[in-house]
Amino acid sequence: MNKKINTIIFKVCSPLMTLAAWEIMSRTGVLDIRFFPPPSLIFADIYKLFAEGILLKDIWISLFRICCGLLMGGLPGLILGVLMGRSILINKFFQPLIALTFPIPKLAIIPLIILLFGIGEFSKIFIVAVGVFFLIVINTFHGVSRIDRIYFDLCKIYKYSLYDRWRHIIIPGALPAIFNGLRLATGTAFILIVGSEFVAADSGIGYRIWVSWEVFQIIHMFSALFVLAFLGWAANGIIKILERWAMPWKTDYQRECEE
Amino acid sequence: MQDREIVQVRNLTKKFKTSANTDILVVDDVSFSIKEGGFYSLIGPSGCGKTTIIRIIAGIEKSDAGEVTINSAGGEGHVFSLAYQQNDLMPWLTVEDNIRLGLNQKGYDRDKMSSVINSYLKEVGLEKFNKFYPTRLSGGMQKRVSLARALSVNPELLLLDEPFAFLDFQTRLTLHKLILNLFMEEKKSIFFVTHNVPEAIMLSEKIIVFTARPARIKAIVDIPFTYPRNLEKIRTYKDYIDIFDKVSELLKDEISKSDEMERKKMLEKVLEHE
């Protein structure tokens, strides 16, 4: 219990102390206040932007794009990853394709996607989906193909049904790797949505950052950055809760090791 | 009835393909049979093909030549179940769900299912642990769950592939006692693979001694001790030392041969890469 309180104190204190140091340095002129407005003003600005309804709209549209992208890339990735893990033939066919296309930085194909789909909503969702797809495919494939073969021996010995085999061996066996993929994919989704909103958008958090910088409203830029940091942190927290729910067999120690 | 042979292995041969596409003979023309109600041990140097034999009997692998005949008494359909050296429990299933998964094919209703699970958990002394996940149990307790699962499908023959290899001495002794109790109470036939000579003598009535790879039968040694046995005192039994010496002597050359082979193989592998 003591240890728990300890970690919570650190989790709260280290960001707070960093913000306090920043506040003092901005106020005393160590940091140039034009480029580094003090956090208290940033929070006030966030409050103001929320009150005006601008920020909420930006958050909503960016999250919408991220969620659509996660679904659009994640579901096919999940299916293909499982198929590759279960079938050598499918694996042999797709492995080289993935090896060749995965290393391309996803931001590099933004122009191509705009060329193909225009600068509408679909382009931004699609670029997220592409990035998500690869991470989910690769992690799901590894998860499925590395399930201990001893469990498949058990299938033969105890004559598990096809349903039991999928429900109680393949899916739970691959789940830790799939969640790993989901965590990485969500991080990538944030990077990609901000990148594509820089280039071709008139809404969203990335657009807000870019436009604030263009008109030299540094404080709005910081506000959007703070919100972005919070959203990333919250997304990670949601995934953690999902993991706990989906994999109740993991011990706290195992969870700590994976973080 | 006592003389029914539950498994007959005739001229069993198995080859494995290496990466260089050459065949390695793993099991060479092996014949033996297991009598119903018998406790047989299979002993041999590590890597000799013991596990391959037990896997072929269990139907997990196919042989290249020879045959394995199963004389089932009919009934509930499960001739075998196998407990392994490694941890073979699904970490994502609770103790009772691990056992339940094996029983799903039996078509029991809810009450019957839980009473079967509980009775076998009780038999291995884990009746209060049904809702635990395996990772929260000790190694010895996990083995007990594996045993309960293997017994729960009511197999005619229990195949045990070095189930106690990674346990400490005291845990192993406790489980040896458990196995012997189960053997006497449940009247199961047991086929036990090990490379531990005292363990084989303590538990079984026949020890089949195998050579280094490829596995051939070197000798079959009868253990004259009757059941029940006092495992703490077994070293003081008349003939224990003689049997121990005999089996050790039979194994001695095979172990050094297998050791030699292992080193040669490693060396070849390294040279191949250079």
Side-chain angles (χ1 to χ4, degrees), chain B residues 252-265:
Chain B
K252 201 177 74 185
D253 294 344
E254 301 307 326
I255 290 171
S256 58
K257 219 186 288 172
S258 142
D259 188 42
E260 185 75 19
M261 231 153 33
E262 191 67 13
R263 265 179 293 167
K264 214 175 116 194
K265 198 174 83 188

Side-chain angles (χ1 to χ4, degrees), chain A residues 1-182:
Chain A
M1 196 61 207
N2 237 337
K3 207 178 143 200
K4 216 169 188 178
I5 293 170
N6 231 335
T7 45
I8 290 172
I9 289 173
F10 270 102
K11 267 183 189 164
V12 177
C13 278
S14 61
L16 275 184
M17 279 161 67
T18 312
L19 286 176
W22 176 353
E23 179 86 29
I24 293 164
M25 286 197 287
S26 290
R27 299 271 182 195
T28 54
V30 179
L31 290 173
D32 189 332
I33 201 158
R34 287 170 304 170
F35 302 138
F36 295 99
S40 57
L41 291 185
I42 295 172
F43 284 117
D45 186 58
I46 291 173
Y47 179 78
K48 199 189 94 202
L49 289 178
F50 263 110
E52 287 168 5
I54 297 170
L55 212 44
L56 205 62
K57 214 182 112 210
D58 285 331
I59 292 172
W60 169 239
I61 189 73
S62 287
L63 285 183
F64 172 75
R65 287 167 184 155
I66 286 175
C67 289
C68 289
L70 278 172
L71 275 177
M72 203 174 122
L75 282 181
L78 195 68
I79 292 167
L80 184 59
V82 169
L83 290 176
M84 283 170 69
R86 296 297 298 157
S87 154
I88 296 170
L89 201 71
I90 296 175
N91 180 30
K92 278 194 173 151
F93 182 79
F94 284 101
Q95 197 67 261
L97 292 179
I98 289 175
L100 279 172
T101 48
F102 177 55
I104 301 172
K106 302 305 162 287
L107 290 171
I109 57 169
I110 288 182
L112 176 65
I113 287 172
I114 292 174
L115 195 68
L116 289 174
F117 304 116
I119 53 170
E121 214 47 44
F122 184 77
S123 290
K124 287 175 274 288
I125 294 170
F126 190 79
I127 188 85
V128 173
V130 170
V132 166
F133 171 79
F134 281 103
L135 290 165
I136 299 285
V137 141
I138 291 167
N139 281 283
T140 306
F141 163 69
H142 283 302
V144 172
S145 61
R146 286 185 191 165
I147 296 171
D148 200 326
R149 56 176 262 200
I150 206 167
Y151 303 134
F152 295 107
D153 288 357
L154 294 175
C155 290
K156 288 187 191 163
I157 295 165
Y158 294 103
K159 305 181 177 111
Y160 298 159
S161 63
L162 193 66
Y163 170 80
D164 281 346
R165 183 182 304 203
W166 280 89
R167 172 69 185 79
H168 293 299
I169 299 201
I170 297 171
I171 292 172
L175 218 46
I178 293 173
F179 265 104
N180 236 353
L182 181 62

Side-chain angles (χ1 to χ4, degrees), chain B residues 34 72 242:
Chain B
I34 301 171
S72 165
D242 290 342

